[in-house]
Amino acid sequence: MLRVSGSATASVRSGLKRKQDRIDSLATFPERVAAAKKAWKSKSSSKKLFADVRELLSAQSPGLRRCVYCEDSMADEIEHVHPKDWRPDLVFVFTNYVFACGPCNGPKSNRYGIVVGAGVTEVQPTEPLIEPVGAPALLHPREVDPLDFLELDLDSTFLYLPRLDLDALGKARAELTIDVLHLNDRETLTEGRREAFTTFRHRLEEAAEVRADGGDVEPLGASVRKLAHLTVFHEMRRQREWFPKLRQLFDDVPEALAW
């Protein structure tokens, strides 16, 4: 799970704002939630606007349009990081969008956590619906670098873990994100990361041979950036001092530190 960069065009922002303004004008939170969900269901009436949104999100996705969360599947759904059920004020705000796959987006659903003191709590539905008060707890890949909170165990399990240098709140946010996005409880993902590690290492070995022969390694870098599980490669760079063979490969191909 990597940070997502990139913004919307002026036409996309203005088109979304017109829709958002109608929701924000409603008096009560339940009204805004109901209107946000209804408006999102009918977004197909604005085909050009959302075709542009999808094109922008595709360009900002990791690899070849991979899901921002799992980095394994192809992304095909516009995902609200902060869900419509709890943040109707962000339903038509581009910075709340990422491109995700169904297996990530579906189970995540409307799970939402807020910061409470030095920890986090998940918001639960009430009757009548009450607006949650507090800073969002889930790691938003457009607002923070998830790797400031998470690290991958490259040594054996290929699971996401909270970084050891986090304070109590940072650890709680990391644990919530791992749980909500099901980053560790799908064997296909952990095995995919393991295979990606081997693939990336082979690309580095190939690049070292090319560079030793005086060749251009950038085509290999371009191919790396298109692969699944790019977080694995980022962690290989960040953790290279712990793995002598990796450290040697990056010493041999210093250009790979910028791939």
Side-chain angles (χ1 to χ4, degrees):
M1 183 181 176
L2 297 172
R3 182 156 195 174
V4 178
S5 60
S7 59
T9 62
S11 62
V12 165
R13 288 197 302 271
S14 62
L16 292 173
K17 186 177 185 302
R18 287 192 294 271
K19 293 179 176 294
Q20 187 64 52
D21 286 346
R22 289 194 286 271
I23 294 167
D24 293 344
S25 68
L26 298 175
T28 69
F29 180 67
E31 286 177 316
R32 293 193 294 275
V33 170
K37 295 166 76 171
K38 181 178 180 180
W40 186 254
K41 285 184 178 179
S42 64
K43 69 182 183 301
S44 58
S45 61
S46 304
K47 291 183 179 179
K48 175 63 168 63
L49 173 60
F50 282 95
D52 291 344
V53 168
R54 292 178 68 87
E55 183 177 349
L56 287 166
L57 293 177
S58 179
Q60 295 167 13
S61 298
L64 287 175
R65 209 186 74 182
R66 301 285 179 182
C67 172
V68 166
Y69 296 142
C70 71
E71 302 174 73
D72 183 82
S73 302
M74 296 297 288
D76 57 0
E77 297 183 8
I78 300 172
E79 146 73 350
H80 294 82
V81 181
H82 301 318
K84 302 182 291 296
D85 301 66
W86 299 112
R87 296 301 303 269
D89 57 315
L90 297 176
V91 69
F92 290 111
V93 176
F94 184 81
T95 52
N96 192 38
Y97 297 162
V98 293
F99 225 15
C101 67
C104 282
N105 195 8
K108 175 179 175 285
S109 188
N110 64 349
R111 293 185 64 183
Y112 184 68
I114 56 173
V115 174
V116 178
V120 303
T121 186
E122 279 205 60
V123 179
Q124 301 298 327
T126 59
E127 185 59 47
L129 197 61
I130 298 174
E131 183 173 7
V133 177
L138 190 79
L139 301 179
H140 193 317
R142 287 193 182 275
E143 297 173 355
V144 301
D145 184 346
L147 293 185
D148 287 343
F149 295 81
L150 305 171
E151 65 181 36
L152 270 176
D153 172 21
L154 298 181
D155 191 41
S156 57
T157 67
F158 288 86
L159 297 176
Y160 275 102
L161 304 171
R163 289 185 52 165
L164 294 176
D165 56 353
L166 295 175
D167 60 15
L169 176 57
K171 181 181 179 182
R173 293 185 67 192
E175 289 174 340
L176 176 76
T177 300
I178 292 168
D179 179 46
V180 167
L181 300 182
H182 299 276
L183 295 177
N184 286 343
D185 54 10
R186 287 177 280 174
E187 187 176 355
T188 54
L189 295 187
T190 53
E191 287 306 305
R193 293 169 197 151
R194 190 185 308 277
E195 292 177 6
F197 180 88
T198 299
T199 298
F200 289 132
R201 190 184 65 223
H202 288 165
R203 294 294 171 93
L204 285 171
E205 291 168 348
E206 185 178 354
E209 293 177 1
V210 169
R211 194 172 192 274
D213 292 338
D216 181 10
V217 300
E218 181 50 35
L220 284 166
S223 71
V224 162
R225 290 189 289 270
K226 294 179 181 179
L227 296 174
H229 297 292
L230 283 175
T231 292
V232 173
F233 189 73
H234 282 251
E235 287 291 71
M236 290 169 70
R237 293 188 311 195
R238 184 165 71 168
Q239 300 181 29
R240 64 189 185 277
E241 296 302 322
W242 304 347
F243 299 90
K245 291 182 178 179
L246 281 183
R247 182 176 66 244
Q248 185 60 57
L249 284 170
F250 281 106
D251 287 346
D252 293 341
V253 192
E255 297 92 336
L257 294 172
W259 289 354

